[in-house]
Amino acid sequence: MSSQEFQAAYNSIYDTGERLLQYLKEFREGLGTQGNESQGLQSSENEINKALKGLQDQKYQVAVIAAMKAGKSTFLNSVIGADILASETAACTICRTDVRHIKLGETPRLLEYREGQRKPVILVEGDAGDIQQTFLLRTREIREKSNPDNTTRFEIEHPIEAISQLSSLTGFTLVDTPGPNEWESANFNTNALKQTALEALRTCNAILFVLNYASYKDNAVSDLFKDVVENRKDFIAENTGKIYFILNKIDQKTERDREIAEVIKDLQLELANFGFRNPVIYPASSRQGLLAKLIQQDKATKDQIKDFKKFFSAQYATEDEEGEQTIPAPRKIAPQALADSGIPTIQETVIQRITQNSGWNLLSEVLAELDKAAKAMEDTLNTEIKGWKMGIEALKEKVEDYRRRSENARANIESVKTSVEQQKQILISGFSQGLDTFADGAKAQIASEINKIAESRSPNSPKQKKIQLIPQPMPQIEKIRFVGQRVGEIGEALLGLIPVFGKGLGTAFKFSASLWDKLSETVPETFNGSVYQPDYNPEKFDPYIIRCKTQTEAQKILKTINDVCAPSIESWWIDTQDQLVREGTSIRQQLATKIQEDIQKISDELSNYLGDALQVKLNINPIQFPSFDFPGIDAGIQRQVEVFTRILNINEVQKESRKKKSNSLCKGDQTYTVDVPIEKTIEVQDQRTIYQVDLRQTLEQIKQKIDDNVSGSQLLLEQVIEQQVDTDFRSAERQINDYINRFQNDFDRVLKERKTKEAEAPEILGRLEAQKAKLNQYLRELISIRESLNSWKPSQIIR
């Protein structure tokens, strides 16, 4: 399905939806419905409006990830068709930056989003140059001042040339993420940057890794895939189709270098070792592509034209019969230079992949909503026609019987609701216990490091009892309640997927460096020399109390413990969260499918009864969960965090105590840093001042920090799961209730009209048949669109 075919299908579906909507309004007016009588068809009208809005507002996100000096900003600029993102030797991307497409003629803007604020700050409105300069200065300020305004992301609103001719992709966004070795580039929260990149991997429709042709084997590439890929090989395998690799800066190739094809083959082997199966690699010269686009658009500056002539024009020189070379003007060779840059090929491939997968899925879901609405009108017409044809007494009998049947259906819906509530509690409890397991593992590992320090400090000292943290097993009564109680068919399957019951939550915790080694480097006088114990007494010596000669030395010890422990725990927690969200998304989908199946069964039973009772063919009422109507777990978490943060900003008095219980799942803010008081004492024997650091007290503070973060995460996850499962059920419940009410309203309306318009029956039946003939035209049109769409259906849809 090419982008042009997608655009044509998009236009066809939207146009049909608009005309169907207008027909529905006329249809309702023709029936003369009002108030409760029109609720059923009003619901159909609402669903059409929602589907068409979803079609227009759908977001398509492409994440671009790269190590430093890979040319990521230039690559993005070449796709955008404007020199808007700054390129400099220092790391530029300090937090997520979304480049959102706007129509030509609209004013480009640079927006900054800050924690706790609903509306963004408009930094500048103007052309690409204005935005680039303002963005660069603001980025430097945030880096140098450690993000004083709690900036969470930027958004650039600017036309994106790559999709400028595709109105169907108005929601297209390029996501510029900080690369892994940019995470260490500044006094900025490195774990928060890592989290941003992982979120993009989970939520974006395509992922582009940009690699430098000249250095794709250096440490930067290893850094690029170390955390992002190695712990997510299952995810990578499932999403291979939306991952691409851009071998950038191929214009730097010299005659002595290997051929590009050989380099790509070598890179394929390298990537395979990281877990990528059959990696798709595209060579590119982003600088050439950008300059060629700017020249074609008459937007290139004199310096840019000069650069194009200097670096790229010579390869397009022509030679006459006398051997004289002529280099065409930049504008003449720009189209070929753009094609040779590889940028158009990459654009078309990525856009085609998006339209084949996420785009096709969207069109299919919107078409299904239109089809459902049209068939609802068809059922109403068939019911009306049958109601006018049968005897009035027989009609009254059918109405009463239907009323009883609908009450039974509602009772069955309540049974499904009870079952769903049980499944929801399994999810909440399972993930909560999984988080507790995370806490126990982290605390046990840190206690082990503290024990090593204590044991190493004095080999001749009495062996102290180790600080031991034994993970608390889930109470047996809870296990029996979960596994033994009847929770429905999906319940047992869910238990195997929830981390605490299944394969476990997160990867094995490990420190980024040995705490003992770091302390030995930082304060060698304390950890490599003799222990400072002026009144050393083997019987009273406590290796968990570190005695220092100066306060500065004691502060260094605490700082080193924080520098090693806090980032290590937080980084592991982010990895754990990433797994948590991905597994939670999978489980939520399974539970939603179960809800859908159960409600569908009730709906089908009612449809079959009605068809038999009225002796007419009625359509099934498909219970549908279109993706445009159901944001994922990431979106739910973000929404909850925004709510929490606004509350915190309103109530500053309780800010610190509540903050640690609200946003710890989603934001790395050094919440694991401890602040243990240093005890100052004076030795009686020689009147020396001693500064003591208590390792036990330090460990207790770390434990408390972990518990606070886990507690906040449990609260946040509980609210997100509650909301999403409840939303799934309410949607299914609303759909079947609309179905029940629509037929009830149809019956009531016919009975009411039969009492006063019996003499007009032939004319009314004639109008209804005419309406049916008109509706059949739309039904045939929808069938034709469906057949066409199915012919483009990919073998495997990657959302």
Side-chain angles (χ1 to χ4, degrees):
M1 187 178 191
S2 68
S3 55
Q4 290 76 22
E5 289 171 329
F6 177 79
Q7 181 67 53
Y10 175 98
N11 292 341
S12 178
I13 291 173
Y14 191 83
D15 176 67
T16 302
E18 286 276 84
R19 289 187 289 108
L20 183 63
L21 190 61
Q22 182 59 38
Y23 169 75
L24 175 55
K25 293 177 180 178
E26 295 171 358
F27 178 68
R28 289 177 57 200
E29 291 174 2
L31 291 177
T33 57
Q34 57 184 354
N36 291 335
E37 294 179 354
S38 66
Q39 285 183 357
L41 294 176
Q42 179 64 58
S43 175
S44 295
E45 185 176 325
N46 293 341
E47 293 304 314
I48 293 177
N49 278 316
K50 187 186 297 184
L52 294 180
K53 187 175 188 303
L55 186 62
Q56 287 185 308
D57 295 346
Q58 177 70 13
K59 291 183 178 180
Y60 300 97
Q61 296 185 325
V62 177
V64 181
I65 302 175
M68 284 175 61
K69 300 180 181 179
K72 179 179 61 173
S73 294
T74 305
F75 173 76
L76 284 163
N77 285 338
S78 69
V79 176
I80 298 166
D83 192 9
I84 195 167
L85 296 172
S87 301
E88 58 176 22
T89 54
C92 293
T93 311
I94 60 171
C95 59
R96 171 172 171 155
T97 301
D98 294 348
V99 183
R100 187 173 67 82
H101 176 69
I102 59 174
K103 295 178 181 178
L104 290 171
E106 295 184 16
T107 303
R109 300 192 302 173
L110 173 62
L111 310 177
E112 179 180 330
Y113 288 82
R114 297 172 180 174
E115 181 184 286
Q117 297 182 16
R118 284 186 177 181
K119 295 183 178 180
V121 178
I122 302 174
L123 297 181
V124 66
E125 295 182 349
D127 59 21
D130 296 331
I131 290 176
Q132 184 187 94
Q133 185 62 26
T134 303
F135 194 18
L136 183 58
L137 293 175
R138 180 58 178 150
T139 296
R140 288 172 178 167
E141 179 184 15
I142 290 174
R143 181 183 293 112
E144 292 167 1
K145 297 183 179 181
S146 300
N147 196 20
D149 298 315
N150 293 320
T151 300
T152 57
R153 70 180 179 93
F154 291 97
E155 183 175 294
I156 296 174
E157 297 176 345
H158 192 279
I160 298 176
E161 187 276 337
I163 54 103
S164 59
Q165 302 302 314
L166 300 171
S167 61
S168 55
L169 298 179
T170 52
F172 188 88
T173 300
L174 292 168
V175 180
D176 184 9
T177 65
N181 58 2
E182 288 176 309
W183 298 343
E184 307 296 339
S185 66
N187 292 324
F188 196 77
N189 195 313
T190 59
N191 278 318
L193 301 183
K194 172 182 175 180
Q195 189 169 16
T196 298
L198 295 181
E199 181 183 344
L201 286 171
R202 291 193 302 269
T203 59
C204 290
N205 303 100
I207 303 158
L208 277 57
F209 289 102
V210 181
L211 307 175
N212 188 337
Y213 161 81
S215 57
Y216 69 91
K217 277 192 173 184
D218 66 11
N219 290 336
V221 177
S222 297
D223 291 341
L224 180 63
F225 300 127
K226 182 180 177 182
D227 280 333
V228 175
V229 175
E230 284 191 338
N231 295 329
R232 296 164 184 83
K233 290 187 177 181
D234 290 343
F235 168 80
I236 296 298
E238 294 170 3
N239 292 272
T240 300
K242 68 177 186 180
I243 297 175
Y244 301 87
F245 299 90
I246 312 302
L247 187 63
N248 199 21
K249 299 188 178 183
I250 60 171
D251 51 278
Q252 295 181 358
K253 178 184 177 299
T254 66
E255 292 182 357
R256 291 176 294 179
D257 293 332
R258 291 185 300 163
E259 293 299 319
I260 299 298
E262 293 182 23
V263 174
I264 289 177
K265 188 174 181 180
D266 185 35
L267 179 56
Q268 285 176 329
L269 295 176
E270 292 283 329
L271 294 171
N273 291 332
F274 277 106
F276 295 102
R277 294 182 298 188
N278 303 315
V280 179
I281 304 171
Y282 289 99
S285 172
S286 298
R287 184 65 177 163
Q288 179 174 322
L290 172 61
L291 294 177
K293 277 191 178 183
L294 293 175
I295 290 170
Q296 280 188 299
Q297 299 169 6
D298 288 328
K299 293 182 179 179
T301 64
K302 291 182 179 180
D303 287 341
Q304 288 168 336
I305 294 174
K306 183 179 179 180
D307 285 348
F308 184 82
K309 290 179 177 180
K310 179 179 179 180
F311 297 109
F312 305 113
S313 288
Q315 60 186 303
Y316 299 101
T318 59
E319 188 175 290
D320 60 21
E321 294 179 356
E322 298 179 359
E324 293 290 331
Q325 284 194 339
T326 302
I327 299 178
R331 187 169 180 79
K332 288 187 177 181
I333 59 178
Q336 187 60 48
L338 176 59
D340 294 342
S341 72
I343 297 301
T345 300
I346 294 168
Q347 291 174 175
E348 179 59 31
T349 302
V350 173
I351 291 171
Q352 184 170 341
R353 171 61 65 173
I354 290 174
T355 56
Q356 281 180 336
N357 290 281
S358 303
W360 188 95
N361 185 66
L362 173 68
L363 295 183
S364 180
E365 290 179 336
V366 171
L367 187 60
E369 290 295 310
L370 299 184
D371 188 64
K372 181 177 179 177
K375 288 179 176 176
M377 286 186 276
E378 183 181 36
D379 286 343
T380 291
L381 280 169
N382 286 332
T383 302
E384 291 263 347
I385 292 171
K386 189 64 178 180
W388 278 97
K389 287 182 176 180
M390 70 169 51
I392 192 167
E393 293 303 320
L395 178 60
K396 290 180 179 179
E397 184 179 332
K398 299 297 183 187
V399 170
E400 286 305 314
D401 193 23
Y402 176 75
R403 204 182 305 275
R404 289 191 294 271
R405 296 266 183 170
S406 62
E407 289 303 318
N408 289 336
R410 295 185 201 278
N412 291 335
I413 294 170
E414 286 300 312
S415 296
V416 174
K417 185 176 183 179
T418 300
S419 176
V420 168
E421 185 65 29
Q422 293 174 339
Q423 319 306 329
K424 183 174 68 178
Q425 294 308 316
I426 289 176
L427 282 178
I428 292 172
S429 299
F431 279 120
S432 178
Q433 291 163 25
L435 290 172
D436 286 336
T437 302
F438 151 75
D440 291 341
K443 289 185 285 188
Q445 187 66 28
I446 293 168
S448 176
E449 286 290 307
I450 297 294
N451 285 334
K452 289 177 184 177
I453 295 172
E455 291 173 358
S456 303
R457 294 190 63 241
S458 179
N460 297 322
S461 67
K463 290 294 182 182
Q464 298 291 316
K465 185 177 181 180
K466 294 182 181 180
I467 302 175
Q468 294 185 340
L469 287 171
I470 303 173
Q472 295 297 315
M474 184 173 63
Q476 189 66 25
I477 184 172
E478 289 295 306
K479 288 185 178 180
I480 293 173
R481 185 170 66 85
F482 285 140
V483 179
Q485 72 180 169
R486 299 186 62 182
V487 293
E489 294 178 8
I490 197 170
E492 296 298 328
L494 288 175
L495 291 175
L497 292 172
I498 294 172
V500 72
F501 293 104
K503 61 185 179 182
L505 179 64
T507 56
F509 175 82
K510 58 183 178 181
F511 281 98
S512 58
S514 165
L515 184 55
W516 168 260
D517 290 344
K518 283 294 183 181
L519 286 169
S520 299
E521 294 173 9
T522 307
V523 280
E525 63 273 19
T526 299
F527 286 89
N528 290 337
S530 59
V531 179
Y532 179 60
Q533 300 285 347
D535 58 346
Y536 178 71
N537 183 339
E539 296 299 324
K540 296 182 178 179
F541 175 73
D542 187 347
Y544 290 92
I545 303 295
I546 303 176
R547 299 156 62 86
C548 305
K549 297 178 182 179
T550 66
Q551 185 176 12
T552 301
E553 184 181 344
Q555 289 171 339
K556 282 183 179 180
I557 291 172
L558 283 177
K559 184 178 184 302
T560 301
I561 291 174
N562 277 328
D563 290 346
V564 172
C565 292
S568 297
I569 299 170
E570 198 167 17
S571 178
W572 180 41
W573 176 220
I574 289 171
D575 287 331
T576 300
Q577 173 202 339
D578 179 60
Q579 180 185 343
L580 197 69
V581 172
R582 285 188 279 114
E583 290 187 355
T585 299
S586 175
I587 294 171
R588 184 260 181 116
Q589 289 172 347
Q590 293 186 50
L591 184 51
T593 299
K594 182 61 178 174
I595 293 172
Q596 188 178 27
E597 291 173 352
D598 287 348
I599 299 298
Q600 188 69 64
K601 183 179 179 181
I602 298 171
S603 179
D604 289 350
E605 289 175 354
L606 203 55
S607 297
N608 292 334
Y609 157 73
L610 278 169
D612 293 340
L614 298 177
Q615 295 183 340
V616 295
K617 182 180 178 180
L618 295 179
N619 299 291
I620 65 168
N621 174 46
I623 305 300
Q624 299 174 165
F625 292 160
S627 57
F628 58 77
D629 209 18
F630 292 88
I633 289 180
D634 279 291
I637 289 174
Q638 182 61 36
R639 187 165 53 249
Q640 283 297 317
V641 170
E642 290 173 355
V643 172
F644 279 138
T645 307
R646 287 196 295 271
I647 294 173
L648 293 174
N649 289 341
I650 292 172
N651 193 349
E652 287 291 330
V653 175
Q654 299 179 0
K655 180 174 182 179
E656 291 305 316
S657 63
R658 293 175 66 180
K659 182 175 183 179
K660 64 188 179 184
K661 290 184 178 296
S662 65
N663 64 356
S664 54
L665 179 65
C666 305
K667 176 178 174 291
D669 56 358
Q670 296 299 339
T671 50
Y672 296 103
T673 301
V674 297
D675 185 20
V676 178
I678 297 171
E679 184 179 347
K680 178 180 177 180
T681 61
I682 298 177
E683 297 292 339
V684 176
Q685 183 176 355
D686 54 11
Q687 296 298 301
R688 292 185 182 184
T689 301
I690 305 299
Y691 298 89
Q692 296 186 158
V693 176
D694 189 332
L695 292 180
R696 289 189 181 88
Q697 191 177 4
T698 302
L699 178 61
E700 287 303 312
Q701 271 207 23
I702 294 174
K703 286 166 53 182
Q704 187 60 51
K705 293 284 185 179
I706 292 173
D707 288 341
D708 287 342
N709 277 268
V710 169
S711 175
S713 299
Q714 288 170 334
L715 173 63
L716 191 59
L717 273 175
E718 179 178 346
Q719 292 188 341
V720 170
I721 291 172
E722 285 266 5
Q723 280 193 350
Q724 298 217 331
V725 174
D726 288 351
T727 297
D728 291 339
F729 178 78
R730 283 198 303 270
S731 175
E733 183 182 37
R734 175 185 51 76
Q735 291 180 62
I736 191 170
N737 280 335
D738 286 345
Y739 185 71
I740 292 171
N741 293 336
R742 188 176 75 243
F743 279 105
Q744 189 65 60
N745 292 335
D746 290 343
F747 283 137
D748 291 343
R749 183 174 59 254
V750 174
L751 270 177
K752 180 180 177 181
E753 291 183 350
R754 289 284 298 270
K755 293 177 181 179
T756 58
K757 299 181 180 180
E758 191 68 27
E760 303 174 32
E763 292 81 2
I764 291 175
L765 282 169
R767 288 197 299 269
L768 292 173
E769 291 291 353
Q771 288 279 17
K772 187 175 178 180
K774 190 174 181 179
L775 177 61
N776 283 336
Q777 295 177 6
Y778 287 100
L779 290 170
R780 286 192 294 269
E781 193 171 335
L782 291 170
I783 290 172
S784 177
I785 296 174
R786 171 60 67 185
E787 290 174 349
S788 177
L789 194 61
N790 285 345
S791 69
W792 294 321
K793 184 176 182 179
S795 57
Q796 180 182 6
I797 295 179
I798 302 173
R799 301 190 181 216

